[in-house]
Structures are given as structure tokens and as C-alpha cells.
Amino acid sequence: MSASEAELWGAAPLTAGSDDISQETSAPRYVWLAETLKKRIAAGDPPVGKLLPTEHALCETYDVSRHTAREALRLLAEAGLIVRRRGAGTLVIATESKAAFSQRLGNVDDLMQYARDARLSPDATAMVALESHLARAFGIAPGGEYMRVSGLRAVPGEPPLALTDIYIRADLAPPVEKLVEMNGLIIEWIASVRGVATARVDQAILAGAMTEREAQRLDCEAGAAALRTRRRYYDKSGRVIALSDTVHPGNRFVYEMSLLRETEG
């Protein structure tokens, strides 16, 4: 490790014989390395806001392959401890893993609570037609005009939780200037102001990987695990009120549900 890299580390590197990084474990080497780095980060070495050594430096210090170092850093990123930025290095952003945002999955009220807790900050709006490719993604017939609202959802003081596009039926859409003060409670606004309440929500949950664009907006790595939800909101007559397409970093979001067995009699 060069002198400059040692300064980034903040202290003399641990050696392979150190008790702190004993390799007497059946875990893969990248898991062992990730745990070793977690311990150092938890101890403030390096502190939040400082850079980790490069992959090359980690390989030399811990006698591991480039693949092992890269996979270890991936685990740290998924745990919310670091952010890897191309050309800028690997930045420490937390000393301990944060629990993922947990949403109960049971009824419409649970979805409304999610909108209250994870506030939407809209950054783009447009009137759009529901073209064929969008209609196929949502599983409905094409046609009709919608207001598309795009933005980030987040819990105050936490990293971005989701990137979302909401498509609101044009005749129910709120004035653009009202969107910011709503904090994402659009469905509730439609119920109270337009008089059209949500009676049913159909939801599809898909697993995938972050695209470059999504990763940049959500401050995570491209290719990282992602959880996408697509929802259709209906009124009591079965007409679509709104549609939403939301992508979450896989390590920041958890769905929870309770299933009850039906009993006879």
C-alpha cells in the first residue's frame, strides 16, 4: 500500500495474522473480507465521509483477488455502509448497517401509510398518453391521458428509498403547484378534493437490477438488487384512478405480511 493509500485508510493496515481478521471460517473469502472491513468502519477507520482504499490496495493488503475485493465492497454497499462512485472512489457513509424500510402488505390503508412515511419529492411532471408499452407494463388497455409525476421517495434524514413514476388520470390530476405541498399523498388528495376514493389496489412485485439511471438517482450501484412495484388504483366502479411504477434498492426496502389460515365453522 502506498503512503497516500495508507493515509486514506487512516492507520496501519491489519495483517493476515491479526486476531481481528482470522480466516478460520467456512465463509467465502469475500464474506470474510466484508466482515473485516465492517469492523474497521464501525471503529471509525476510516470515518464517515472518508474514502476506503482502492480495490488494488485491498488486494495487496489482504492478499485477495480483485473479484474477492469487488464482491466484499458490493456487500458493504448493500449494507448501506459505503457508496461507490465511478472515478471518485469508495466513500464511507455509515458506521453500521441501517434496517431496511419495512412496509406492511395487507390492505389499502397500509399503502396509504407508506405514502405518509416515505414522502415524495416531485421533480418532473408532464401530460402523457398511455401508450402501448406503458399499458402492457401495467396490464391494462392503452389510451387515455394521464399526468405523470416523477420523483424520489424518502424518509426525512435517510437515503433515497425509491424512484417513482405516478400516472394520474387527467380529469383527477391536481394542479402542478399543489404537488410539492402534498408530500406524495396524491391518492388521498384525489379522495378528499375530487371525491373519488380508492376502492381497490392491484399490485405486482418484481425483482431486478438497478439501471445506470436508477442507480445514479438513488445513490447506489448499477446492477445492484432492485425491487420494483407496479400498482393500479381503482375506484368503486372499477375505473383506473392512477398507476405507479416504483423501484427500490433491494437493501433499503422490505415487505412484510401476515397470513391467516381459514378455519371451518
Side-chain angles (χ1 to χ4, degrees), residues 84 86 120-126 134 148-153 160 162-167 209-224 226 228 230 245-249 252:
R84 305 186 70 191
R86 186 174 299 173
L120 176 68
S121 298
D123 52 30
T125 62
L134 276 175
R148 184 181 64 208
V149 180
S150 302
L152 292 173
R153 283 196 179 277
L163 179 64
T164 189
D165 289 319
I166 301 174
Y167 298 84
M210 285 284 166
T211 65
E212 289 279 357
R213 172 185 169 273
E214 291 165 347
Q216 184 177 18
R217 294 296 310 281
L218 290 165
D219 202 10
C220 59
E221 286 193 78
R228 182 180 297 275
R230 291 196 179 108
D245 186 358
T246 302
V247 60
H248 303 85
R252 298 180 196 168

Side-chain angles (χ1 to χ4, degrees), residues 13-23 32:
L14 295 174
T15 63
S18 168
D19 291 338
D20 286 340
I21 59 168
S22 172
Q23 297 182 52
W32 159 79

Side-chain angles (χ1 to χ4, degrees), residues 13 22 29 48 50 76 140 144 159 172 217 238 264:
S22 172
R29 281 180 65 77
V48 172
K50 298 297 184 180
L76 295 185
I140 63 174
L172 300 177
R217 294 296 310 281
E264 296 181 359

